[in-house]
Structure formats: C-alpha cells, structure tokens
Amino acid sequence: MTKQEFLSRLCARLEVLSKKERDDIIEEYSQHIDMKVESGMKEEDAINDFGDVDALADEILEAYNLNTDYVKDREKHKPFEKRVADKVSGFADTVSSIADSISKKSGKQILSIIVKFVILVIILLLLRIPVNVLVGLSITLFAFLPGYMEAVITGIISVLINLIYLAVVCYSIYYFFKRIANEDYDVSDDINAFAKGVADESISDDKNDNDWDNEDLREDTKKKTEKKESKNNGFHGFTWEKRKSDKNESQDFSYKDNRRENRKKRNDGSIAHTLGSIVGIILKIIVIIFMIPVIAFGLCLVAGLGVSLALLIKGFAVFGIMLIALGASLCLMAFVWAVFKAIFGKKNTPAPSAASASASSHTDNASDNGEV
Amino acid sequence: MNTQFKKGVLELVVLLSVAKRDMYGYELVNEVSKVIDVNEGTIYPLLKRLTNERYFETYLKESTEGPPRKYYHLTPSGQIYKEDLKSEWLKFHKKVDEFIKSDT
C-alpha cells in the first residue's frame, strides 16, 4: 500500500469527523510516515507499522466516543454512486502517486523505464498473434452452422476473446506502472518475470508431462558418456553428446537457482508470471500446429523414397529423385527432432536457441575433428 | 509482552513523557518505544483521545526541516490526571508485587 492509498482509505473511514479534524489527523500521519522514510525506513514498512487501517480508524473514532458500528453501517449503506466515486478517487490517487514518483526519477531511470515499457508493449503485441489465431480457429470451427447463427456465435466469441485480451493489456500496463511507483523496486524484475515466465512454463510443463521422456533422454546420454569413457578413444559423436549433456545440466542448475530467486523476489508478481505462462503455452501450441504439416511432408518424402526404391528394384533408374527424397527427408527429420527436443526436451530453451545450440555443437564437432 | 498489560500502561507512559517536555508525534512514539514495544496505530488515537479530554493541548511549531510540527503539551488538568494515574499505578504495582511475593 502506498502512502496516498493509506491516507485516502483512512480519510474515507473517518468521514463522520469534521473536515478540520480529519485534515489534522491526515496531516499528522502523513508527517509521521515522511519522518520514518527519512530515517531510512521503506514507505511500505512505515505504513505497515500502523497495522490494519480499519482497526486504526476504529480506534481514532473511539477517541471521539463515536460508535464505530454506526460508521461501518453507513459505509455499507452508502449509495452505489458514492462507492464508485470512492473507487475512482482511490484510482486517481494511485495514478497521481505514480506520476509523483516518476517525476522524482532521474533522466537515466526514465529512459530505462521507457525502454522497458517498449519491451512490454512488444510482448503484448506478440500476444495479439495467438489471440487472432484463436479467433480464426473459432470462425472455422463454427463454419458448419447456418448463415446468421454462425455470424452471431463467431461474433460473440471474437468479442469475448478480444475483451479478455484488452483486460490483460490494461491490467499489465497498470501493474507495470504501479510497480514503478514502488521506488525501491527494481523494474527489470517485471520484464524478467515476463521473459522467465515463458521459459519457466516450458520447464514446469516438461516436468509434469514429459518427465519419463527426460529421464530416458538423460539415461541415454549417461550411457553414451559412460561408453565413451570406457572406450576412451575420442569418438566425436559421443564427445559432443557428452559436452552437450554437461552443458545442459549446468544450464539447468543455474536455471533452477534463478527460478528460486525469482520466486522469492516476486511474492505478488504472480500476475506477470501467469501471463508469461499463458504466452508460453500459446507459443508451444503454435509451434506444434506448425509442425504438423512439416511432419506430414516428411512422411510423404519417406513414402516417395519407398516408391522410388520399388521402382529401382523393378528396373527403372530414378537415382536422382531417390537421392533428393533421401536427403530432404533426412534434413526434415533432423529439423523435427531438433524442434521437439527444444520444446519437450530437458533443455528449457525455445526454438531459436535450439538453432544456436545445434550451431555450437557443429563448431564443437569441428574443433573435435581438429583435435583428433 | 502481553498486549493487555501494554494497553493499560501506555497512557501513563505517554503522560509522563509529555510531562517531561513538549513533544511531537514521531518523537513521542520513539520515546514511548524505549519502554513499551508499541505500534503507532495505538499511540496516535490515544493522543487524540487525551487531547479531546483536554489533558493535552496542541500547538504548531516551525521546524528547520519540513512542515511545521504539532507539539503536545500537558494542561493543568492533564497534570492532575497524570499524578492520579501515577499513584494509582504505584499502589496497584505494590499490591501485585506483594501478592506475587506471598505466593512464592
């Protein structure tokens, strides 16, 4: 709770008192908080020392020999417009406190905030893609319905999805600025939480539904490395397999540490986290959907290879086509394998880094060749 | 420390502190905290009540840094109230002490 929020809530609860009395109390509390902050205390802690706002307000009202139940009842029976107005003014207070704290920041800090905000906007725009995909899917899903019904249902669904998206956007922007207003809070955490959320998601998901797969993979690599060690003849294939697995493990450990730290850091940063998780799931789904035609194409190539083999046996010389089919299907299989390993494998990096990993493994290979 | 104990003694400690010299809220909280571990949420309402009962009067005084501070000053009736409370406490304390000693 910020100082503004605390004071405005307190003020609202002391509504029965005369304005002069109220202002007097608010001024004193505000001064007290300021002095605590000056003496090196965090604003939030200084406010928490007052305890519950409602209990505090009750005690103040008791000092005037007022029946606090009566005040509470009044609160309950407040007309709807009044309550809405209170909410709006509370929101306005938050906004003004945000503006206040931003104006206090130096030019460099403001620049970094702007950069981070741009990143946030880009992430939100990227989130737009799955939303559009969802809308498109729903339209094709209901295409079988007769004319007007289809229009109505798809219309409702697209409006709903867009509304949810809008809510997510508004909330994350509001949350972002609220976080900035907390001066001692490092804003980069927010962005990290977003980015980490995506990767986090892939980890935790793997843990859940692909644990056995991971175990198998790990066993496999372990066996291979063991073999390699026993042979000890520097066979490159195994060498880089081992290196890779070593790398993976160290990456994994550092990652877990990061994750733990992150969790500690953001007790209430779960919004960003869940948002990141959602983005992660959606990205995964998109990748899987895109992989389906690729796999189908690969199967077609394998079938073509089989046909050309049959033709070869029958006596038709189709070496050219056969070689092309063989090469292309091998390439595709390697690609599919790499992508699936990237998504479901122990390694928690998404597709782009899988490419870089394979690139680095190639260089490893090359260097090994050089050594041997 | 038992919160019920605290509540009972807090008023006396606040009165004694202000009797020594005039103080403003933050100063008073620090002074009282030396004796009783107490949160601000209970001190300020108490100050308000003592002021409303005319045991304290307040005045604003400019400070070198920041806005003017509200000082609390003990009124003559506050003085009497403080003495009453003090002797009451001493009597009470003596009785409880004797009771504890007779128990052991």
Side-chain angles (χ1 to χ4, degrees):
Chain A
M1 194 165 21
T2 65
K3 188 179 140 193
Q4 285 297 327
E5 275 174 333
F6 171 75
L7 293 178
S8 66
R9 268 179 72 182
L10 188 63
C11 197
R13 293 282 281 112
L14 300 178
E15 214 197 353
V16 276
L17 300 181
S18 71
K19 191 176 181 318
K20 193 171 156 280
E21 283 289 327
R22 239 184 310 156
D23 287 349
D24 188 46
I25 293 168
I26 296 298
E27 171 61 25
E28 199 162 22
Y29 280 65
S30 148
Q31 257 189 45
H32 184 90
I33 294 168
D34 287 345
M35 282 182 211
K36 283 195 123 179
V37 170
E38 257 170 53
S39 71
M41 205 180 213
K42 279 186 195 163
E43 188 177 292
E44 193 138 1
D45 292 341
I47 289 159
N48 285 339
D49 278 352
F50 281 116
D52 183 44
V53 182
D54 290 341
L56 179 64
D58 282 354
E59 277 196 67
I60 296 171
L61 292 176
E62 264 165 33
Y64 291 88
N65 294 324
L66 282 166
N67 184 349
T68 51
D69 287 341
Y70 165 73
V71 179
K72 268 180 204 153
D73 273 358
R74 261 174 68 111
E75 189 88 359
K76 252 180 238 160
H77 297 307
K78 240 190 227 176
F80 178 71
E81 315 87 68
K82 192 89 207 305
R83 265 180 286 164
V84 170
D86 280 356
K87 276 266 175 321
V88 170
S89 74
F91 182 76
D93 279 342
T94 319
V95 169
S96 71
S97 75
I98 287 167
D100 240 36
S101 69
I102 285 176
S103 66
K104 272 182 216 150
K105 292 197 191 317
S106 68
K108 208 175 166 190
Q109 274 172 313
I110 287 175
L111 196 72
S112 82
I113 288 170
I114 289 171
V115 169
K116 280 158 190 166
F117 185 68
V118 168
I119 293 170
L120 178 73
V121 169
I122 290 171
I123 290 170
L124 288 174
L125 284 179
L126 280 180
L127 202 64
R128 187 71 229 175
I129 298 170
V131 169
N132 283 340
V133 168
L134 268 180
V135 171
L137 268 179
S138 69
I139 288 172
T140 47
L141 210 65
F142 292 103
F144 67 90
L145 289 172
Y148 68 95
M149 263 178 79
E150 183 208 336
V152 169
I153 289 180
T154 51
I156 289 171
I157 288 175
S158 62
V159 165
L160 271 181
I161 292 172
N162 279 308
L163 271 181
I164 291 169
Y165 174 72
L166 199 71
V168 168
V169 169
C170 288
Y171 192 80
S172 47
I173 289 174
Y174 174 66
Y175 182 79
F176 179 79
F177 279 111
K178 211 174 159 190
R179 263 346 213 358
I180 285 175
N182 265 348
E183 277 159 342
D184 53 308
Y185 173 76
D186 183 11
V187 193
S188 65
D189 276 5
D190 211 38
I191 299 299
N192 283 346
F194 267 98
K196 284 267 158 67
V198 177
D200 255 15
E201 176 41 41
S202 56
I203 287 193
S204 49
D205 241 44
D206 295 344
K207 290 273 146 70
N208 290 338
D209 43 54
N210 276 63
D211 233 350
W212 55 274
D213 209 33
N214 288 338
E215 286 299 313
D216 275 2
L217 266 173
R218 225 177 295 167
E219 290 274 283
D220 235 48
T221 44
K222 257 183 205 160
K223 265 182 214 157
K224 278 183 185 172
T225 45
E226 271 165 25
K227 249 194 235 163
K228 185 251 152 190
E229 267 158 16
S230 62
K231 277 184 184 171
N232 212 8
N233 61 359
F235 185 56
H236 348 290
F238 291 146
T239 324
W240 73 257
E241 194 80 53
K242 189 199 171 205
R243 281 191 184 185
K244 225 163 115 182
S245 70
D246 282 351
K247 238 187 259 167
N248 281 353
E249 258 150 47
S250 61
Q251 237 180 29
D252 201 50
F253 283 134
S254 64
Y255 212 88
K256 271 181 191 159
D257 283 348
N258 268 349
R259 211 151 49 117
R260 228 171 283 141
E261 270 170 36
N262 244 33
R263 248 190 220 146
K264 262 186 230 156
K265 264 190 217 162
R266 56 197 151 95
N267 289 328
D268 53 347
S270 54
I271 307 296
H273 178 69
T274 39
L275 202 66
S277 312
I278 292 166
V279 175
I281 292 173
I282 291 166
L283 274 179
K284 242 182 194 179
I285 291 169
I286 291 172
V287 170
I288 290 169
I289 288 170
F290 275 110
M291 286 315 282
I292 291 169
V294 175
I295 293 168
F297 185 57
L299 287 177
C300 286
L301 277 173
V302 171
L305 192 69
V307 169
S308 64
L309 210 69
L311 284 174
L312 194 73
I313 291 165
K314 279 201 168 176
F316 296 99
V318 282
F319 285 113
I321 293 171
M322 208 183 98
L323 278 178
I324 290 170
L326 185 68
S329 56
L330 280 180
C331 283
L332 268 181
M333 270 161 71
F335 176 67
V336 170
W337 173 241
V339 170
F340 270 87
K341 216 173 156 192
I343 301 176
F344 296 117
K346 203 161 104 63
K347 208 164 33 157
N348 37 54
T349 42
S353 26
S356 67
S358 66
S360 68
S361 66
H362 277 302
T363 52
D364 273 5
N365 229 348
S367 61
D368 278 352
N369 278 333
E371 277 165 29
V372 174
Chain B
M1 191 175 145
N2 189 317
T3 46
Q4 294 300 321
F5 286 178
K6 275 193 212 170
K7 264 198 174 161
V9 189
L10 183 63
E11 193 169 332
L12 178 61
V13 174
V14 166
L15 283 164
L16 287 169
S17 303
V18 178
K20 273 193 278 178
R21 62 186 159 91
D22 295 356
M23 287 187 194
Y24 57 92
Y26 182 71
E27 208 181 2
L28 193 60
V29 169
N30 284 341
E31 183 74 19
V32 172
S33 300
K34 285 180 197 162
V35 195
I36 311 171
D37 178 31
V38 73
N39 85 349
E40 295 91 66
T42 52
I43 288 197
Y44 278 103
L46 176 65
L47 288 176
K48 202 86 235 174
R49 187 165 61 78
L50 291 172
T51 313
N52 288 346
E53 285 166 7
R54 304 274 184 266
Y55 296 136
F56 282 165
E57 56 189 10
T58 62
Y59 59 92
L60 288 177
K61 197 172 158 191
E62 294 294 328
S63 71
T64 44
E65 69 253 28
R69 286 164 182 162
K70 191 164 110 184
Y71 278 80
Y72 291 86
H73 173 75
L74 201 64
T75 61
S77 75
Q79 200 80 34
I80 295 165
Y81 181 60
K82 184 203 81 181
E83 288 305 323
D84 285 352
L85 212 61
K86 199 163 95 180
S87 61
E88 216 176 299
W89 164 259
L90 288 174
K91 265 185 226 159
F92 173 70
H93 176 255
K94 206 175 148 198
K95 273 185 188 171
V96 174
D97 228 32
E98 275 167 10
F99 189 75
I100 291 172
K101 272 171 194 155
S102 71
D103 190 45
T104 50

Coordinates of all heavy atoms in Angstrom, one line a residue, chain A residues 28-73:
Chain A
E28 N -1.0 14.7 10.3 CA -0.1 14.2 11.3 C 0.5 12.8 10.9 O 1.7 12.5 11.0 CB -0.8 14.0 12.7 CG 0.1 13.9 13.8 CD -0.6 14.2 15.1 OE1 -1.8 14.1 15.2 OE2 0.1 14.5 16.1
Y29 N -0.4 12.0 10.4 CA 0.0 10.6 9.9 C 1.0 10.8 8.7 O 2.0 10.0 8.7 CB -1.2 9.8 9.5 CG -1.9 9.2 10.7 CD1 -2.5 10.0 11.7 CD2 -1.9 7.8 11.0 CE1 -3.1 9.5 12.8 CE2 -2.5 7.3 12.1 CZ -3.1 8.1 13.0 OH -3.7 7.6 14.1
S30 N 0.6 11.7 7.8 CA 1.5 11.8 6.7 C 2.9 12.3 7.1 O 3.9 11.8 6.6 CB 0.8 12.8 5.7 OG 1.8 13.6 5.0
Q31 N 3.0 13.2 8.0 CA 4.3 13.6 8.6 C 5.0 12.5 9.2 O 6.2 12.3 9.0 CB 4.0 14.7 9.6 CG 4.3 16.1 9.1 CD 4.3 17.1 10.3 OE1 4.8 16.9 11.3 NE2 3.6 18.2 10.1
H32 N 4.3 11.7 9.9 CA 4.9 10.6 10.6 C 5.6 9.6 9.6 O 6.7 9.2 9.8 CB 3.9 9.9 11.5 CG 4.4 8.8 12.3 ND1 4.9 8.9 13.6 CD2 4.6 7.4 12.0 CE1 5.3 7.8 14.1 NE2 5.2 6.9 13.1
I33 N 4.8 9.3 8.6 CA 5.3 8.4 7.5 C 6.6 9.0 6.9 O 7.6 8.4 6.7 CB 4.3 8.1 6.5 CG1 3.1 7.3 7.1 CG2 4.9 7.3 5.3 CD1 1.9 7.2 6.3
D34 N 6.5 10.3 6.6 CA 7.6 11.0 5.9 C 8.8 10.9 6.8 O 9.9 10.7 6.3 CB 7.3 12.5 5.7 CG 6.3 12.7 4.6 OD1 6.1 11.7 3.8 OD2 5.7 13.7 4.4
M35 N 8.7 11.1 8.1 CA 9.8 11.1 9.0 C 10.4 9.7 9.1 O 11.6 9.6 9.2 CB 9.4 11.6 10.4 CG 9.3 13.1 10.5 SD 8.8 13.5 12.2 CE 7.9 15.0 11.9
K36 N 9.6 8.7 9.1 CA 10.1 7.4 9.1 C 10.9 7.1 7.8 O 11.9 6.4 7.9 CB 8.9 6.4 9.2 CG 8.4 6.3 10.6 CD 7.6 5.1 10.8 CE 8.1 4.2 11.9 NZ 7.3 3.0 12.2
V37 N 10.4 7.5 6.7 CA 11.0 7.3 5.5 C 12.4 8.0 5.5 O 13.4 7.5 5.0 CB 10.2 7.8 4.3 CG1 11.0 7.8 3.0 CG2 9.0 6.9 4.1
E38 N 12.4 9.2 6.0 CA 13.6 10.0 6.1 C 14.7 9.3 7.0 O 15.9 9.3 6.7 CB 13.4 11.4 6.7 CG 13.3 12.5 5.7 CD 12.8 13.8 6.3 OE1 13.4 14.2 7.4 OE2 11.9 14.3 5.8
S39 N 14.2 8.6 8.0 CA 15.1 7.9 8.9 C 15.6 6.6 8.3 O 16.2 5.8 9.0 CB 14.5 7.7 10.3 OG 13.5 6.7 10.2
G40 N 15.2 6.3 7.0 CA 15.8 5.2 6.3 C 14.9 4.0 6.2 O 15.3 2.9 5.9
M41 N 13.6 4.2 6.6 CA 12.6 3.1 6.5 C 11.9 3.1 5.2 O 11.7 4.1 4.6 CB 11.6 3.2 7.6 CG 11.0 2.0 8.1 SD 9.9 2.3 9.4 CE 10.0 0.9 10.4
K42 N 11.5 1.9 4.7 CA 10.8 1.8 3.5 C 9.3 2.3 3.8 O 8.8 2.1 4.8 CB 10.7 0.4 3.0 CG 11.9 -0.1 2.3 CD 11.6 -1.5 1.7 CE 12.9 -2.2 1.3 NZ 12.7 -3.6 1.1
E43 N 8.8 3.0 2.7 CA 7.5 3.6 2.9 C 6.5 2.5 3.3 O 5.6 2.7 4.2 CB 7.1 4.3 1.6 CG 5.8 5.0 1.7 CD 5.4 5.8 0.5 OE1 6.1 6.7 0.1 OE2 4.4 5.4 -0.2
E44 N 6.6 1.4 2.6 CA 5.6 0.3 2.9 C 5.7 -0.2 4.3 O 4.6 -0.4 4.9 CB 5.9 -0.8 1.9 CG 4.8 -1.8 1.8 CD 4.5 -2.3 0.4 OE1 5.2 -1.8 -0.5 OE2 3.6 -3.1 0.2
D45 N 6.9 -0.3 4.8 CA 7.1 -0.8 6.2 C 6.5 0.2 7.2 O 5.9 -0.2 8.2 CB 8.5 -1.1 6.5 CG 9.1 -2.3 5.7 OD1 8.2 -3.0 5.2 OD2 10.3 -2.4 5.5
A46 N 6.8 1.5 6.9 CA 6.3 2.5 7.8 C 4.8 2.5 7.9 O 4.2 2.7 8.9 CB 6.8 3.9 7.3
I47 N 4.2 2.2 6.7 CA 2.7 2.1 6.7 C 2.2 0.9 7.4 O 1.2 0.9 8.2 CB 2.2 2.2 5.3 CG1 2.4 3.6 4.8 CG2 0.7 1.9 5.2 CD1 2.4 3.8 3.3
N48 N 2.9 -0.2 7.2 CA 2.5 -1.5 7.8 C 2.5 -1.4 9.4 O 1.8 -2.1 10.0 CB 3.4 -2.6 7.4 CG 3.0 -3.0 5.9 OD1 1.9 -2.7 5.5 ND2 3.9 -3.7 5.3
D49 N 3.5 -0.5 9.9 CA 3.6 -0.4 11.3 C 2.3 0.1 12.0 O 2.0 0.0 13.2 CB 4.7 0.6 11.7 CG 6.0 -0.2 11.7 OD1 6.0 -1.4 11.5 OD2 7.1 0.4 11.8
F50 N 1.5 0.8 11.2 CA 0.2 1.3 11.7 C -0.8 0.2 11.9 O -1.9 0.4 12.5 CB -0.4 2.4 10.7 CG 0.3 3.7 10.9 CD1 1.0 4.3 9.8 CD2 0.2 4.4 12.1 CE1 1.6 5.5 10.0 CE2 0.7 5.6 12.2 CZ 1.5 6.2 11.1
G51 N -0.5 -1.0 11.3 CA -1.5 -2.1 11.4 C -2.6 -1.9 10.4 O -2.6 -1.1 9.5
D52 N -3.7 -2.6 10.7 CA -4.9 -2.5 9.8 C -5.5 -1.2 9.8 O -5.7 -0.6 10.9 CB -5.9 -3.6 10.3 CG -7.1 -3.7 9.4 OD1 -6.9 -3.7 8.2 OD2 -8.2 -3.7 10.0
V53 N -5.8 -0.7 8.6 CA -6.4 0.7 8.5 C -7.8 0.8 9.2 O -8.0 1.7 9.9 CB -6.6 1.1 7.0 CG1 -7.1 2.5 6.9 CG2 -5.3 1.0 6.3
D54 N -8.6 -0.3 9.0 CA -9.9 -0.2 9.6 C -9.8 -0.2 11.2 O -10.5 0.6 11.8 CB -10.7 -1.4 9.2 CG -11.1 -1.3 7.7 OD1 -11.0 -0.2 7.2 OD2 -11.4 -2.3 7.1
A55 N -8.9 -1.1 11.7 CA -8.8 -1.1 13.2 C -8.3 0.3 13.7 O -8.8 0.8 14.7 CB -7.8 -2.2 13.6
L56 N -7.4 0.8 12.9 CA -6.8 2.1 13.3 C -7.9 3.2 13.3 O -8.1 4.0 14.3 CB -5.7 2.5 12.3 CG -5.1 3.9 12.5 CD1 -4.3 3.9 13.8 CD2 -4.1 4.2 11.4
A57 N -8.7 3.2 12.3 CA -9.8 4.2 12.1 C -10.8 4.0 13.3 O -11.3 4.9 13.9 CB -10.5 4.0 10.8
D58 N -11.1 2.7 13.6 CA -12.0 2.4 14.8 C -11.4 3.1 16.0 O -12.2 3.7 16.8 CB -12.1 0.9 15.0 CG -13.1 0.3 13.9 OD1 -13.7 1.1 13.2 OD2 -13.2 -0.9 13.9
E59 N -10.1 2.9 16.3 CA -9.5 3.4 17.5 C -9.6 4.9 17.5 O -9.8 5.5 18.6 CB -8.1 2.9 17.6 CG -8.0 1.6 18.2 CD -6.6 1.2 18.7 OE1 -6.1 1.9 19.6 OE2 -5.9 0.4 18.0
I60 N -9.4 5.6 16.4 CA -9.5 7.0 16.3 C -10.9 7.5 16.7 O -11.1 8.4 17.4 CB -9.0 7.5 14.9 CG1 -7.5 7.2 14.7 CG2 -9.2 9.1 14.9 CD1 -7.1 7.5 13.3
L61 N -11.8 6.8 16.0 CA -13.2 7.2 16.3 C -13.6 7.0 17.7 O -14.4 7.7 18.3 CB -14.1 6.4 15.3 CG -14.0 6.8 13.9 CD1 -14.9 5.9 13.0 CD2 -14.4 8.2 13.6
E62 N -13.1 5.9 18.3 CA -13.4 5.7 19.8 C -12.9 6.8 20.6 O -13.5 7.1 21.6 CB -12.7 4.4 20.2 CG -13.6 3.2 20.2 CD -12.9 1.9 20.3 OE1 -11.9 1.8 20.9 OE2 -13.4 0.9 19.6
A63 N -11.8 7.4 20.2 CA -11.2 8.6 20.9 C -12.2 9.7 20.9 O -12.2 10.6 21.8 CB -9.9 9.0 20.3
Y64 N -13.2 9.7 20.0 CA -14.2 10.8 20.0 C -15.5 10.2 20.6 O -16.6 10.9 20.4 CB -14.5 11.2 18.5 CG -13.3 12.0 17.9 CD1 -12.3 11.3 17.2 CD2 -13.3 13.4 18.0 CE1 -11.3 12.0 16.7 CE2 -12.3 14.1 17.4 CZ -11.3 13.4 16.8 OH -10.2 14.1 16.2
N65 N -15.4 9.1 21.2 CA -16.6 8.4 21.8 C -17.7 8.2 20.7 O -18.9 8.4 21.0 CB -17.2 9.2 22.9 CG -16.2 9.3 24.1 OD1 -15.5 8.3 24.4 ND2 -16.1 10.4 24.7
L66 N -17.3 7.8 19.5 CA -18.2 7.5 18.5 C -18.5 6.0 18.4 O -17.6 5.2 18.6 CB -17.7 8.0 17.1 CG -17.8 9.5 16.9 CD1 -17.0 9.9 15.7 CD2 -19.3 9.9 16.7
N67 N -19.7 5.7 18.0 CA -20.0 4.3 17.8 C -19.5 3.9 16.5 O -20.0 4.3 15.4 CB -21.5 4.1 17.9 CG -21.9 2.7 17.8 OD1 -21.1 1.8 17.5 ND2 -23.1 2.4 18.1
T68 N -18.5 3.0 16.5 CA -17.9 2.6 15.2 C -18.8 1.8 14.4 O -18.7 1.7 13.1 CB -16.5 1.9 15.4 OG1 -16.8 0.8 16.3 CG2 -15.5 2.8 15.9
D69 N -19.7 1.0 15.0 CA -20.6 0.2 14.2 C -21.5 1.0 13.3 O -21.8 0.7 12.2 CB -21.5 -0.7 15.2 CG -20.7 -1.8 15.8 OD1 -19.6 -2.1 15.2 OD2 -21.1 -2.3 16.8
Y70 N -21.9 2.2 13.9 CA -22.7 3.1 13.2 C -22.0 3.5 11.9 O -22.6 3.5 10.8 CB -23.1 4.3 14.0 CG -23.7 5.4 13.3 CD1 -25.0 5.4 12.7 CD2 -22.9 6.6 13.1 CE1 -25.5 6.4 12.0 CE2 -23.4 7.6 12.3 CZ -24.7 7.5 11.8 OH -25.2 8.6 11.1
V71 N -20.7 3.8 12.1 CA -19.9 4.3 10.9 C -19.8 3.2 9.9 O -20.0 3.5 8.7 CB -18.5 4.8 11.4 CG1 -17.7 5.2 10.2 CG2 -18.7 5.9 12.4
K72 N -19.6 2.0 10.4 CA -19.5 0.9 9.4 C -20.8 0.7 8.7 O -20.8 0.4 7.5 CB -19.2 -0.4 10.2 CG -17.7 -0.6 10.3 CD -17.4 -1.9 11.1 CE -16.0 -1.9 11.7 NZ -15.9 -2.7 12.9
D73 N -21.9 0.8 9.4 CA -23.2 0.6 8.7 C -23.4 1.7 7.6 O -23.8 1.4 6.5 CB -24.3 0.8 9.7 CG -24.6 -0.5 10.4 OD1 -24.0 -1.5 10.0 OD2 -25.5 -0.6 11.3

